[in-house]
DNA sequence: CGAGTCCTGTGT
DNA sequence: ACACAGGACTCG
């Protein structure tokens, strides 16, 4: 569910609530539950070193949270361990499709899909991790930026010359490229479609074939979309809420995402949906013509069209 | 590149 | 019953 604007909103909300706090206790309500033969937590805790989810809880219990950051779609909690001489770890959280991190005023699980409850040394504050589909992932990193540096630049930080250079090196379709975290980190299905609409570029256009002007429109389209989305607190469609449990409202400003068949807000043409990179892709066939692939018919018609038919086609 | 996989929930 | 959902990995 959460893409860059949602994760940024969560980080901004949680930062003042958890920075400087100590983790008094870590509970894993689903650790004992049976799911496909083993603990339902095994997947979220993808580290092989956590034979037992209790080891994870033990590892972070007593640690102090010294900072909260965003890296693409991932949240990073910097921890100072209790016993070591300033030993540190970074708890990496990827929320997948349905992950939530929220501050609650109770240590009781709010849902059967709550998988972690951290008690913080602040009266009335518990940090809950909830994830219905369990596509989320946690890692505990030794190095603050380890295992994370292979991703592409942050779209809000990259400069245009660098962006244009990266673009030129890619052969894939724009939609696939924007979803690729090794190209840019942070975009997902919503903001890829919304960015391409603002850039007026066809999602199936080939990256390497864009001229400088089109590359500029894409760059600007991405940044404007993300800036507006962050300002709106992200998009809440089914599951997303921020760290305080509040919904975002950028979904009301979506131009194309999940608007199949509705009129384009700019030209009135019906929004179309197609599948690219196995993902739903929404676009306006009139506003987003630039760079669209030429469709050559595989079979040539055996008979020429009659003049009357030609008229109809033209 | 596409297809399948991991999951649960919702809407037709 | 089926399609689809904000992500990302592996396979051929």
């Amino acid at each position: 569910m959460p893409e860059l604007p949602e994760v940024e909103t969560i980080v901004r909300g949680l930062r003042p609530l958890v920075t400087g706090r100590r983790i008094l206790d870590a509970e894993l309500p689903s650790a004992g539950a049976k799911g496909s033969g083993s603990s339902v937590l095994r997947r979220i805790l993808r580290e092989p070193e956590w034979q037992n989810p209790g080891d994870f809880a033990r590892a972070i219990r007593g640690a102090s949270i010294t900072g909260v950051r965003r890296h693409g779609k991932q949240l990073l909690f910097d921890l100072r361990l209790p016993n070591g001489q300033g030993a540190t770890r970074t708890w990496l959280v990827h929320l997948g499709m349905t992950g939530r991190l929220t501050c609650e005023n109770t240590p009781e699980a709010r849902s059967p899909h709550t998988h972690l409850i951290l008690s913080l040394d602040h009266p009335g504050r518990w940090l809950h991790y909830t994830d219905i589909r369990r596509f989320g992932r946690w890692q505990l990193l030794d190095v603050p930026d380890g295992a994370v540096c292979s991703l592409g630049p942050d779209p809000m930080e990259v400069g245009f010359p660098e962006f244009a250079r990266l673009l030129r090196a890619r052969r894939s379709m724009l939609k696939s490229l924007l979803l690729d975290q090794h190209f840019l980190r942070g975009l997902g299905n919503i903001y890829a479609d919304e960015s391409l609409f603002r850039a007026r570029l066809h999602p199936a256009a080939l990256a390497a074939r864009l001229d400088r002007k089109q590359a500029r429109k894409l760059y600007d389209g991405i940044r404007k979309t993300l800036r507006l989305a962050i300002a709106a607190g992200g998009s809440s469609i089914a599951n997303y809420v921020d760290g305080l449990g509040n919904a975002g409202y950028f979904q009301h400003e979506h131009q194309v995402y999940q608007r199949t068949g509705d009129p384009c807000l700019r030209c009135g043409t019906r929004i179309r949906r197609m599948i690219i990179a196995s993902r739903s892709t929404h676009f306006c066939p009139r506003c987003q013509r630039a760079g669209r692939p030429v469709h050559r018919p595989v079979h040539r018609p055996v008979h020429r069209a009659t003049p009357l038919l030609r008229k109809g086609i033209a």
Side-chain angles (χ1 to χ4, degrees):
Chain A
M1 116 197 7
E3 307 180 29
L4 187 153
E6 288 77 29
V7 178
E8 180 65 26
T9 303
I10 293 170
V11 165
R12 289 182 187 183
L14 289 182
R15 187 175 285 139
L17 299 178
V18 306
T19 303
R21 303 270 70 87
R22 207 156 68 87
I23 298 168
L24 300 179
D25 197 13
E27 280 192 79
L28 304 161
S30 63
K34 291 284 179 181
S36 44
S38 65
S39 157
V40 298
L41 270 177
R42 291 282 160 75
R43 295 197 160 281
I44 295 173
L45 289 162
R46 77 168 118 183
E47 300 293 281
E49 66 188 88
W50 311 116
Q51 306 276 327
N52 177 350
D55 293 344
F56 172 81
R58 232 162 284 131
I60 62 170
R61 202 170 280 145
S64 297
I65 301 171
T66 56
V68 190
R69 299 174 286 146
R70 176 183 64 77
H71 193 267
K73 299 173 188 172
Q74 329 183 78
L75 292 104
L76 301 175
F77 292 83
D78 294 307
L79 307 177
R80 193 176 55 237
L81 299 188
N83 31 10
Q85 299 283 10
T88 63
R89 291 283 188 282
T90 296
W91 178 38
L92 179 156
V93 181
H94 193 302
L95 298 170
M97 289 272 230
T98 54
R100 286 181 174 191
L101 264 174
T102 52
C103 266
E104 308 281 349
N105 57 7
T106 170
E108 303 298 318
R110 281 268 165 82
S111 121
H113 300 108
T114 297
H115 302 298
L116 175 71
I117 298 172
L118 297 182
S119 304
L120 304 179
D121 69 342
H122 189 93
R125 286 244 212 278
W126 288 267
L127 187 61
H128 291 221
Y129 176 90
T130 306
D131 187 356
I132 294 172
R133 293 176 72 180
R134 278 180 276 143
F135 288 171
R137 294 291 181 266
W138 306 338
Q139 284 178 293
L140 209 48
L141 308 174
D142 293 334
V143 190
D145 291 313
V148 131
C149 48
S150 63
L151 300 183
D154 190 295
M156 299 308 281
E157 291 169 7
V158 70
F160 176 65
E162 171 72 355
F163 176 81
R165 193 181 63 75
L166 293 172
L167 201 58
R168 222 174 302 125
R170 298 302 203 103
R171 229 166 267 257
S172 48
M173 292 186 277
L174 293 182
K175 174 62 184 277
S176 311
L177 192 57
L178 295 187
L179 292 176
D180 183 352
Q181 304 299 298
H182 300 288
F183 173 64
L184 287 180
R185 65 174 117 109
L187 289 180
N189 214 29
I190 296 176
Y191 299 107
D193 284 3
E194 294 294 313
S195 297
L196 287 168
F197 176 81
R198 283 200 170 74
R200 310 221 189 296
L201 293 168
H202 195 284
L206 297 180
R209 292 187 55 189
L210 295 195
D211 62 29
R212 195 140 185 101
K213 200 173 155 189
Q214 292 172 321
R216 183 79 217 187
K217 290 183 84 170
L218 181 55
Y219 178 78
D220 291 341
I222 292 168
R223 291 166 63 96
K224 185 174 183 185
T225 300
L226 294 178
R227 189 168 46 74
L228 292 172
I230 292 170
S235 304
S236 290
I237 294 175
N239 291 284
Y240 165 72
V241 292
D242 68 14
L244 308 176
N246 300 314
Y249 46 93
F250 193 67
Q251 66 278 11
H252 303 304
E253 296 176 55
H254 288 176
Q255 305 291 300
V256 290
Y257 184 75
Q258 287 191 348
R259 294 196 62 242
T260 309
D262 294 346
C264 170
L265 298 172
R266 181 166 169 270
C267 79
T269 303
R270 288 182 185 285
I271 299 301
R272 284 237 289 266
R273 172 179 180 270
M274 66 189 293
I275 302 294
I276 298 180
S278 311
R279 309 296 299 280
S280 273
T281 299
H282 314 78
F283 68 105
C284 170
R286 182 158 168 196
C287 294
Q288 297 173 256
R289 300 166 73 86
R292 79 187 191 285
V294 182
H295 291 108
R296 271 168 180 268
V298 179
H299 303 292
R300 285 211 174 181
V302 179
H303 301 291
R304 298 203 166 220
T306 67
L308 195 67
L309 264 174
R310 291 193 144 198
K311 226 178 178 178
I313 294 166

